[in-house]
Amino acid sequence: FLNNNLLLISGGLVFFIAVLIYLLQQPTFRIQLREAVLRLPLVGTWLLESETARWAAMLGTLLENRVALMRALELAGQGIMLPSLHAKLNQVTRSVRSGVSLSQALQDNEALTATGHNLIRVGEKSGELPKMLRSLAKLLEQSGRVRMKRFLLLLEPIAILVIGSVIGVIVTGIILAITSMNQIK
């Protein structure tokens, strides 16, 4: 089949790659792709945690260096690549600007986990918000590492099964070819 349709298959492959490159250059497609990846079971949670950790680390660093809270929220929010999280954090910034505390705004917009809300609330009450934000970032980074290790532990047996199946198909094909040669004679 491949020999008979080589031109058609290679043309289809080139067309597919060209369409994929074109789509990846479109900002709306990239946004939709990020949102689709965010809905995946393992990868989505890991991606959300890593983005939140980046935000918390950036905000903590900015606050440690005496940047005003509103400006720090705006700057930290600019680094977020996930549109849904970016929208939540923009709403948090608006809420804080209107006078709501940071922990309450984050909780109202469900921007963090319960642990994150508690850490930020404790940081606000103790006056150690930058330190708590850095702790939250470290906690989320550790959680992401653990999640990635679990994913790789799950991926290893699946890869072994797939590779074993491919080798089994190849060996079966070779054995069938050898036995059919014996039948011809």
Side-chain angles (χ1 to χ4, degrees), residues 50-52 54-56 75-87 89:
S50 66
E51 284 287 311
T52 307
R54 185 179 319 137
W55 174 82
L75 290 172
Q78 289 175 358
I80 301 298
M81 301 300 289
L82 296 174
S84 59
L85 183 60
H86 192 268
L89 293 175

Side-chain angles (χ1 to χ4, degrees), residues 51-52 55-56 59 73-74 76-80 82-96 102 105-106 109-112:
E51 284 287 311
T52 307
W55 174 82
L59 185 61
L73 283 170
E74 290 169 3
Q78 289 175 358
I80 301 298
L82 296 174
S84 59
L85 183 60
H86 192 268
K88 286 179 184 179
L89 293 175
N90 281 340
Q91 186 61 37
V92 166
T93 303
R94 282 188 229 112
S95 296
V96 170
L102 179 61
L106 287 167
N109 291 293
E110 299 175 0
L112 297 176

Side-chain angles (χ1 to χ4, degrees), residues 109-184:
N109 291 293
E110 299 175 0
L112 297 176
T113 61
T115 304
H117 297 305
N118 290 335
L119 280 171
I120 291 184
R121 187 175 302 114
V122 168
E124 283 178 337
K125 289 183 180 179
S126 66
E128 296 289 331
L129 183 59
K131 190 175 183 179
M132 287 299 164
L133 282 165
R134 303 285 287 173
S135 296
L136 176 62
K138 286 179 184 175
L139 181 73
L140 290 172
E141 286 172 3
Q142 275 182 332
S143 176
R145 278 192 217 110
V146 167
R147 195 174 303 281
M148 186 55 67
K149 283 181 184 177
R150 286 182 186 162
F151 176 71
L152 291 175
L153 286 173
L154 183 67
L155 184 66
E156 185 179 347
I158 292 171
I160 290 171
L161 288 174
V162 168
I163 292 170
S165 299
V166 169
I167 291 172
V169 167
I170 291 171
V171 168
T172 303
I174 291 172
I175 290 174
L176 288 174
I178 291 172
T179 57
S180 67
M181 292 294 285
N182 288 337
Q183 290 176 357
I184 293 175

